Amino acid sequence: MVIVSGMRATGKLHIGNFVTLEKWVELQKKSDHNFFFVADWHALTSHYDEVEIIEESTLDIIRHYLAVGLNPNQSVIFIQSAIKEHAELYLLFGMIASVSRLERIPTYKEQITNISDKDLTTLGFLGYPLLQAADILIYKGERVPVGEDQIYHIEFTREIARKFNLRYKEVFPEPEAIISNVPKLPGTDGRKMSKSYGNIINIETNEKELKEKILPMITDPARKRRTDPGNPEKCPVWDYHKVFTESQEEKEWVVKGCTTAGIGCIDCKKLLIKNMKNKMEPVWENLAKISKEDAKKIAIEGNEKARNIAKETMKEVKDAMHMRW
Ligand code: TRP
Ligand code: SF4
């Protein structure tokens, strides 16, 4: 099974990304053909004015890939913009991709209407899903672990693969999304995790910061006093427990204590901090050991491997399209 996925290089990785990375590490164990990259071109489609941030976060993301457990012996770890074949395939896909189809993709429609602080009426931004299709298909990706919001892009990728195969030659598989069953983590204020809300916990943090962010977290508003019972399903702290508290007993302790006012929110948060620390401490230790230079070395090796495979696919594509020059 060929697995392909990437993350956009638009800043620091947060604990939501941590959950995704853990999933990738799990998949890596089961498959021999894994491609995990940093999508710096995708970052540029919207962050074209922040090229320094993209550069900075590209290597930082590779550090995180390694720290969480992606292994360069089991996965090809690389940087999108180092493999120009992605762009070449994107160009050729552009010949058969419908503009109105791209304009109708829900993620595009949503962002073009809601984001007002920058001009997204660019060819680059419209082509975002097409570039993603090229990222996946250039490695003949079959499974793509992504968040729920990416389903439309994978569906679009399947359409492009089908169109190409029918028109020219059977070159590409039709990839399927792997959607994680782990619930999406909200920000510390219960809203969507977002840099502009300041409600994010980065992966690269420490116990002190963790306490500073978790202890003031919003809880079920019904628990105004210690003696008021609450409902974990209305509390973002519980969403975090679902991800970081593995022991069934501890989870039951939270649910029972919350609904009967047997525990206070501070007790509940202290348990969460303990469990988050346990899970993240090895990653913090790894991050402290992995320099940007180390990450760069790994990426250069990964780029080489990715490029060789991408070149093979391009040979087939060009042959199918009668460009045998
Ligand atoms: N669009 C993806 C996201 O925002 C990132 C991405 C780019 C990607 N290319 C990809 C994911 C290819 C999977 C496969 O999360
Ligand atoms: Fe949330 Fe825990 Fe307080 Fe219940 S006890 S409201 S789950 S923080």
Side-chain angles (χ1 to χ4, degrees):
M1 202 53 85
V2 181
I3 295 179
V4 181
S5 199
M7 282 186 187
R8 296 197 319 146
T10 51
K12 289 256 160 210
L13 294 190
H14 53 66
I15 52 170
N17 302 125
F18 173 70
V19 178
T20 306
L21 284 180
E22 281 200 309
K23 187 88 196 174
W24 291 6
V25 171
E26 208 181 289
L27 287 167
Q28 165 190 256
K29 290 186 196 135
K30 290 187 242 155
S31 156
D32 312 321
H33 304 283
N34 310 296
F35 297 86
F36 295 114
F37 64 98
V38 181
D40 53 344
W41 277 338
H42 276 101
L44 265 183
T45 62
S46 51
H47 292 54
Y48 46 79
D49 278 332
E50 291 154 67
V51 288
E52 291 88 358
I53 296 181
I54 297 177
E55 178 187 30
E56 169 86 19
S57 43
T58 294
L59 281 185
D60 200 49
I61 292 177
I62 303 267
R63 282 177 66 235
H64 282 71
Y65 283 3
L66 298 167
V68 178
L70 289 185
N71 177 341
N73 297 320
Q74 286 166 295
S75 296
V76 183
I77 298 169
F78 65 101
I79 298 169
Q80 181 188 37
S81 67
I83 320 298
K84 63 179 189 303
E85 284 74 13
H86 289 225
E88 192 178 8
L89 186 58
Y90 169 68
L91 176 103
L92 295 177
F93 280 165
M95 309 305 165
I96 58 170
S98 147
V99 171
S100 61
R101 173 72 183 91
L102 281 165
E103 283 168 342
R104 272 185 276 116
I105 289 183
T107 41
Y108 177 77
K109 278 208 301 205
E110 196 259 326
Q111 298 195 58
I112 207 92
T113 24
N114 293 332
I115 295 177
S116 52
D117 60 341
K118 52 188 147 204
D119 180 12
L120 292 180
T121 61
T122 57
L123 178 59
F125 191 66
L126 178 66
Y128 186 113
L130 192 63
L131 180 57
Q132 186 163 351
D135 295 338
I136 297 166
L137 295 174
I138 196 122
Y139 304 106
K140 301 192 179 181
E142 296 168 287
R143 292 289 183 275
V144 190
V146 282
E148 220 159 356
D149 59 324
Q150 297 292 309
I151 290 185
Y152 307 112
H153 295 172
I154 309 307
E155 182 51 41
F156 179 75
T157 302
R158 297 161 63 83
E159 286 171 26
I160 288 290
R162 210 174 301 144
K163 245 187 178 173
F164 185 99
N165 290 346
L166 283 173
R167 183 153 318 182
Y168 303 109
K169 200 176 161 208
E170 195 70 35
V171 174
F172 298 113
E174 286 183 32
E176 278 171 36
I178 303 179
I179 304 295
S180 161
N181 49 7
V182 185
K184 215 176 162 122
L185 282 178
T188 49
D189 57 0
R191 294 190 286 178
K192 183 175 175 280
M193 233 195 256
S194 160
K195 246 175 280 166
S196 47
Y197 295 155
N199 60 4
I200 287 184
I201 300 177
N202 287 332
I203 299 180
E204 193 159 32
T205 181
N206 53 45
E207 193 179 358
K208 181 170 166 281
E209 254 177 39
L210 208 53
K211 280 186 186 150
E212 283 165 8
K213 299 238 164 128
I214 302 288
L215 288 175
M217 257 180 92
I218 297 227
T219 61
D220 176 3
R223 294 212 71 184
K224 269 196 204 66
R225 270 153 295 163
R226 166 72 176 75
T227 47
D228 296 330
N231 176 358
E233 294 306 333
K234 292 185 180 157
C235 176
V237 176
W238 176 238
D239 288 316
Y240 283 37
H241 272 298
K242 283 189 211 157
V243 172
F244 290 100
T245 298
E246 272 157 9
S247 139
Q248 207 48 42
E249 235 168 277
E250 286 181 339
K251 275 193 204 151
E252 278 163 23
W253 180 81
V254 170
V255 174
K256 188 152 179 282
C258 181
T259 50
T260 60
I263 60 168
C265 290
I266 294 295
D267 306 316
C268 182
K269 288 169 174 175
K270 281 189 175 151
L271 174 69
L272 175 65
I273 292 165
K274 173 185 85 102
N275 290 337
M276 284 181 81
K277 181 189 162 212
N278 277 347
K279 247 187 141 171
M280 297 185 53
E281 205 164 38
V283 177
W284 297 338
E285 285 169 8
N286 289 342
L287 280 170
K289 278 186 268 175
I290 304 168
S291 69
K292 291 219 160 154
E293 278 311 305
D294 299 332
K296 196 167 177 180
K297 258 186 229 143
I298 301 282
I300 287 171
E301 284 169 24
N303 291 345
E304 189 67 29
K305 288 187 206 163
R307 195 174 295 124
N308 288 334
I309 297 165
K311 276 188 174 154
E312 287 304 310
T313 306
M314 278 320 291
K315 253 190 226 152
E316 281 181 66
V317 167
K318 288 202 231 174
D319 187 63
M321 294 180 82
H322 293 254
M323 283 175 284
R324 298 160 183 151
W325 314 116

